[in-house]
Amino acid sequence: MTDQRAEFLAGERPEDVALFLADSFVSDDRLAQFGDPVADGTLIVVDGERGRNAFQAATGTGAMEFAKSAMSTEGEIDDDLAGAQCPDAADDGDHAIQFVFAFAEEQNEEVGGIYADGDVIHAYAQCTCGTAFSDRWNVSEA
């Protein structure tokens, strides 16, 4: 795991975003030079603007538009961001994660809830079945 990835997962890089791109979704060997090879894909941590642009280029969807659409369905995204469990996996369809987009938000006691408890990771995933979903957690819980 690169230092950038470890720092992101620890909530220490709130200006960056993380992207997991499944090998089955994006087959570009050059991705490995930009991030960490993980089971079934590549995980990249990059500054926010470049990350949102990379997400758009890889998926054809704006990062924040995707996040907004995924917020209405809760699911479970792995705390290492390299996988997830589709909330519709009980169906008999194909359920493999295509991509994950994530960002960290610093602790904010004024907002309350989990934001008062520490830094929060926001993660959004897309499944091959078409379901987009979200998850969030305190860094201290990971």
Side-chain angles (χ1 to χ4, degrees):
M1 181 182 311
T2 64
D3 289 343
Q4 286 181 328
R5 182 174 168 208
E7 290 168 357
F8 179 87
L9 294 172
E12 298 171 5
R13 299 180 72 97
E15 70 284 353
D16 292 349
V17 298
L19 308 171
F20 166 75
L21 300 167
D23 291 335
S24 60
F25 183 71
V26 176
S27 58
D28 188 338
D29 295 335
R30 296 175 296 169
L31 284 176
Q33 67 184 330
F34 298 108
D36 289 338
V38 294
D40 302 321
T42 302
L43 198 136
I44 302 166
V45 175
V46 65
D47 73 80
E49 187 63 31
R50 285 183 40 217
R52 286 184 290 277
N53 291 338
F55 181 85
Q56 170 102 29
T59 66
T61 304
M64 297 318 287
E65 291 82 6
F66 170 67
K68 188 178 280 188
S69 71
M71 285 174 48
S72 62
T73 304
E74 290 188 23
E76 291 184 32
I77 298 174
D78 298 349
D79 62 10
D80 66 359
L81 304 174
Q85 297 297 316
C86 177
D88 293 335
D91 298 346
D92 290 336
D94 180 26
H95 296 280
I97 300 308
Q98 294 179 302
F99 52 84
V100 173
F101 170 76
F103 62 91
E105 188 171 348
E106 294 176 309
Q107 180 177 3
N108 186 340
E109 293 180 13
E110 292 178 15
V111 174
I114 68 170
Y115 300 97
D117 296 335
D119 298 338
V120 176
I121 300 290
H122 295 262
Y124 308 91
Q126 176 74 40
C127 181
T128 53
C129 74
T131 298
F133 58 98
S134 65
D135 195 1
R136 62 186 177 154
W137 59 87
N138 284 105
V139 169
S140 59
E141 294 175 359

